[in-house]
Amino acid sequence: MEKTNYESVVVLTPVLSEKMLQEAVSDFEKLITENGGELIHKENWGLTKMAYPIQKKTTGFYQIYEFAAEADTEIVDKLELAFRRDEQVLRYLTIKLDKHALKYNERRRNGEFNKPKVKEAPALADKVAPAAPVKAAPVAEAQVEKVSNEEAE
């Protein structure tokens, strides 16, 4: 059967210690793999300011999981139930990825969006033979006749 790709974003409370954070992250990873899911990528965004306060907290630890699972499994239901039961989770969102999101995530994982732009002009200058210096032709100054308004009438 064909696998479906999902992405979960979890916001954890900012009062967690580093050890507690790692335990929570590993528990969610374990839950994904034990229920037949294949963890493709995980990303920790760290402590980030939120747009609005949640439970009187203005920051949270953002964790993203990208995983694949069989279409008929209840992995999303089990994962979201675990998110709801965990007091350390402030918010969560799990979405099903379409083909465009898969392509975008793959490009993001490969670092295509964070690369500095490369200037191509010096590379072209090396390939093209240098042109002979061009001597500027002397410019002849034009003689301008002054015309008064009285003569023009």
Side-chain angles (χ1 to χ4, degrees):
M1 195 170 235
E2 190 174 325
K3 290 194 173 199
T4 306
N5 291 315
Y6 299 97
E7 183 176 78
S8 279
V9 178
V10 183
V11 182
L12 299 163
T13 184
V15 297
L16 296 176
S17 67
E18 187 67 31
K19 183 180 178 185
M20 292 171 68
L21 178 67
Q22 293 302 325
E23 286 176 7
V25 167
S26 65
D27 288 344
F28 295 137
E29 288 175 24
K30 209 181 305 180
L31 186 65
I32 291 171
T33 55
E34 287 175 355
N35 288 303
E38 174 191 344
L39 192 63
I40 297 171
H41 181 71
K42 71 172 183 173
E43 190 172 344
N44 183 2
W45 282 6
L47 189 65
T48 307
K49 185 175 179 181
M50 295 187 281
Y52 55 89
I54 302 173
Q55 299 176 4
K56 298 183 180 179
K57 294 172 178 65
T58 57
T59 58
F61 288 105
Y62 281 69
Q63 186 71 35
I64 299 174
Y65 302 100
E66 185 180 347
F67 60 96
E70 296 294 330
D72 60 350
T73 59
E74 297 177 354
I75 188 168
V76 175
D77 295 335
K78 291 178 181 178
L79 189 61
E80 288 188 349
L81 181 64
F83 291 155
R84 269 186 245 118
R85 288 182 175 168
D86 195 343
E87 293 179 358
Q88 300 169 342
V89 176
L90 296 177
R91 287 283 192 275
Y92 63 89
L93 178 68
T94 303
I95 60 170
K96 181 179 175 181
L97 299 176
D98 62 355
K99 64 181 181 179
H100 304 292
L102 285 174
K103 193 172 201 174
Y104 174 82
N105 282 351
E106 184 178 331
R107 290 178 62 199
R108 186 171 52 92
R109 281 194 304 268
N110 294 336
E112 291 184 29
F113 298 116
N114 297 331
K115 290 183 181 176
K117 292 184 179 180
V118 178
K119 294 182 181 178
E120 294 183 16
L124 292 176
D126 295 340
K127 293 179 183 177
V128 178
V134 178
K135 292 184 180 179
V139 178
E141 293 185 20
Q143 298 293 327
V144 179
E145 293 182 28
K146 293 185 180 181
V147 178
S148 67
N149 287 339
E150 295 172 0
E151 293 175 11
E153 291 178 358

